[in-house]
Amino acid sequence: GSAMAAVRDVAIDPEGTFKYILVRLQRPGGGGERRDIVRGTAAAEFHNHIFEKVNPEMEKLGYECKCLGGGKIDHNSKDKKIRVFGQSTGYGKADHSVTVEILKKVYTDYEITWSDDKK
């Protein structure tokens, strides 16, 4: 398969509340395949820390990355619930409804919701 297929849709912490970003991958020049991925971790104090880690990884695979916005994810693995909310100061608010659709591909047995709440 393509290198893009090898990129995971979602890489988030297994538990807790943390910042996340929605990232669009595409081939340089804008032609061909493109897709959106979700990345989030409590290790990142700011949203751009996540992007600064993802971007070089994806460039190595031959993709251009664009951050579509950010927010927060509340991941409750015990109750199998994920809540997507908030926004990024630097990148603006991601389209949380898009994020939820991507999360549902991976966390198929979860209840996943989103809101524009700040916290």
Side-chain angles (χ1 to χ4, degrees), residues 40-58:
T41 177
E45 191 184 346
F46 300 105
H47 286 91
N48 62 306
H49 292 171
I50 308 172
F51 189 73
E52 282 160 15
K53 189 172 173 294
V54 173
N55 199 32
E57 290 173 8
M58 297 305 152

Side-chain angles (χ1 to χ4, degrees), residues 2-36:
S2 68
M4 198 176 266
V7 177
R8 289 189 295 162
D9 287 316
V10 177
I12 60 171
D13 287 359
E15 186 66 41
T17 304
F18 44 85
K19 292 184 167 68
Y20 94 89
I21 57 173
L22 186 60
V23 179
R24 172 155 292 163
L25 304 184
Q26 58 186 31
R27 291 293 186 197
E33 52 183 350
R34 61 177 215 192
R35 62 184 265 226
D36 299 341

